[in-house]
Each structure stands twice: as C-alpha cells, then as structure tokens.
Amino acid sequence: ITPASMTIVFLSITIGTIMTMSSSNWLMAWIGLELNMLAILPIISKPKTTRASEATTKYFLTQAIASAMMLLSSTINVWQTGSWNILELKNKFSTTIMALSLMMKMGAAPIHFWLPEVLQGTTLQTALLITTWQKIAPVTLMYMISNNIQPTILVSAGILSMIIGGLGGINQTQLRKMMAYSSINNLGWTITIMAFSPNMALMNICTYIIMTTPIFLMMTNMSTKTLQNLSTTWTTSMTMTLSIALLMLSTSGLPPFTGFMPKMLILNELISQKLTTLATLAI
C-alpha cells in the first residue's frame, strides 16, 4: 500500500468516526460508520497472510450485519415517529435492535465472537486501532440513546460481557487474545453503567483507551505476541516489561492503579441505585 493510499485510508477512518459522533441524523451516523468500516478493511488485510484475509472477512461480515440491523432499527423508528433524529428513538423494538447492533459493532457479549479472532489475525498496530478508535463511534451513539434503551438489556449484556471477558482471558497465551477479552470485560462495565450514569460510562471507556494504547505500543516496540515472549524480554528491556505488567494490572482494575478508579465509581453508583446484587456480581 502506497503512502498516499494509507493517508486516504486513515483520513477516512478519522472522518467516519467524527461524522458519526457529530451527527444528529441516523442516516449520517450510519454513513459515518460505513465509511469507517470500509476504510479499516485494507489495514486489516495489509499482511498478505491467510489469517489476515480471514480476519478481514470476519470483521467485514459482522460489521455489515450490525450496519443492516442499525438501518432496520432506524427505518422502523421512522415509520413510527416520522423522524430520523437520533434522540427521537422511541419505539421499543427499534431501541432493542439498535442496542444489539451497537454492541455487535463494538464487540460486546453476547455478540463478541468476532473480536478475539480478528485481533489474533492482525498486526499489533491494527489491534490497537480496533480496540480503541473503532469503539468511539458506537459508544457515542449508545450514549446518545441511553435514556431510551431498557436498563434490563444493557445490564444483562454488561454482566455477560464481564463474565465472558474475565473467563475468556484465563487460559490465553496469546497477548492479542488476552487484550481482546480485556476489551470485552471493560465494555461490560461501560454498558452496565450506561443505563444509570452515561457520563460515568464515557469516563470508563476513555480511561480504558488511555491505558490500552501504551500497552499495545510497547508490545509493538518489543515485538511480543505471546506470554512466553514477554517473559523472555525481561533481560533485554526490564523497564518496558515492568510497565506492561503494571498497565495490565491497571486495566484489570486492581487498586491502587488508575483502572481501579472508574470501577470503584461504577460500583458506588450501582450501590446508590439500590443495585447491591448487581454490584456484587460485577465484583
């Protein structure tokens, strides 16, 4: 891929996300997401391997299905309300379909199956892009319609994401798959609190992005892709290996690291909303 075409691709990814974030119309938001999706496909398929081609196909199919669900939802809502406005999503069926499509876009359970596979088939830089930048647009849309989504749907998907994210990463030796399950887990926290305090959900996802970015950048710098690689880099780059270990503990929400702060605030909010059982499940 030439530098000029790479510039166009990255510009399209940026414009697509910004277009979705700033639009008040479902059609413009959908166009932004489509532009974003089509632009990232050449980046995923850049390594000329069968695994990269497989990852590109899986990413394209799941995102295309999610986009179709999104169009279906907004079209049904237009029939009911006569408005394409994002904030006018009043129909319960439309809201449920839209919530599921956005969860599929960002890779939250129960429609998470594509994320670990796609991340494993791409380079570390592309994995960073998928786990951080690609989450911004769907999370923003979910934030905008959070008042209309039934809390039961968000909480159920959130708890399921936490469980799958936590259990899925246990037996992994591949760092990219571990980061994928970490992403699913953190999305679980974000979706759960989205029903009660959308601003806190945004703070949680922003904290996650800030912590994940240096992990991937350091892994790229050291060319580590497995836990075994990470254990051998201790002799050559002790500072970087220690930094990765501490950042991973932070993303898992261990006190006294930064990642513990949003989780503590989320638990506090759940308890104050008389949802003690839910808070206990989250722990």
Side-chain angles (χ1 to χ4, degrees):
I1 300 174
T2 61
S5 58
M6 282 305 282
T7 307
I8 293 166
V9 163
F10 279 110
L11 203 62
S12 300
I13 290 171
T14 311
I15 291 167
T17 302
I18 292 167
M19 192 190 289
T20 302
M21 287 171 71
S22 57
S23 63
S24 59
N25 183 296
W26 277 121
L27 275 179
M28 287 304 291
W30 176 78
I31 290 166
L33 284 170
E34 285 297 291
L35 180 65
N36 188 299
M37 177 193 74
L38 291 170
I40 203 172
L41 293 177
I43 298 174
I44 301 172
S45 62
K46 194 183 175 187
K48 296 293 175 276
T49 60
T50 48
R51 186 165 256 182
S53 304
E54 188 186 326
T56 311
T57 311
K58 282 177 181 173
Y59 186 83
F60 172 72
L61 288 174
T62 47
Q63 296 294 315
I65 292 164
S67 294
M69 285 168 67
M70 194 175 162
L71 262 187
L72 172 71
S73 167
S74 50
T75 308
I76 291 168
N77 189 62
V78 169
W79 283 341
Q80 296 288 322
T81 61
S83 170
W84 282 102
N85 195 309
I86 290 175
L87 301 175
E88 293 289 319
L89 195 71
K90 304 293 183 191
N91 185 283
K92 274 190 177 180
F93 179 72
S94 297
T95 313
T96 308
I97 298 289
M98 186 61 73
L100 286 171
S101 72
L102 293 174
M103 284 172 203
M104 198 172 188
K105 282 264 177 205
M106 62 178 95
I111 325 166
H112 66 285
F113 54 86
W114 62 271
L115 189 61
E117 298 299 320
V118 169
L119 253 60
Q120 188 55 35
T122 60
T123 60
L124 286 163
Q125 295 99 315
T126 313
L128 166 65
L129 197 63
I130 293 168
T131 50
T132 54
W133 184 260
Q134 293 298 92
K135 300 252 188 293
I136 296 170
V139 167
T140 308
L141 284 176
M142 192 171 268
Y143 174 83
M144 290 166 84
I145 62 166
S146 58
N147 290 335
N148 300 326
I149 307 172
Q150 290 167 291
T152 321
I153 295 165
L154 288 175
V155 170
S156 304
I159 294 291
L160 194 61
S161 295
M162 285 182 208
I163 294 165
I164 288 171
L167 295 177
I170 290 173
N171 287 328
Q172 297 299 333
T173 54
Q174 296 288 336
L175 289 173
R176 279 168 295 180
K177 276 199 175 178
M178 277 178 67
M179 294 308 293
Y181 283 109
S182 165
S183 169
I184 293 164
N185 182 275
N186 273 279
L187 276 173
W189 286 89
T190 306
I191 293 167
T192 304
I193 199 62
M194 188 74 80
F196 309 104
S197 177
N199 291 335
M200 207 173 282
L202 280 192
M203 184 195 69
N204 184 58
I205 200 77
C206 288
T207 311
Y208 169 72
I209 290 169
I210 290 163
M211 290 186 300
T212 304
T213 307
I215 293 177
F216 273 111
L217 292 175
M218 282 189 278
M219 279 178 1
T220 308
N221 192 21
M222 295 193 296
S223 301
T224 51
K225 290 177 182 175
T226 62
L227 280 175
Q228 194 177 3
N229 290 153
L230 201 60
S231 61
T232 54
T233 52
W234 181 261
T235 49
T236 53
S237 181
M238 195 174 81
T239 314
M240 218 171 264
T241 313
L242 188 66
S243 301
I244 288 178
L246 292 174
L247 278 164
M248 280 185 167
L249 288 173
S250 184
T251 49
S252 64
L254 199 76
F257 299 109
T258 314
F260 175 65
M261 179 193 65
K263 288 182 173 59
M264 184 184 68
L265 291 170
I266 288 168
L267 288 172
N268 183 51
E269 181 66 27
L270 289 173
I271 291 163
S272 67
Q273 294 272 1
K274 304 283 189 296
L275 295 160
T276 318
T277 316
L278 198 59
T280 315
L281 267 173
I283 294 166

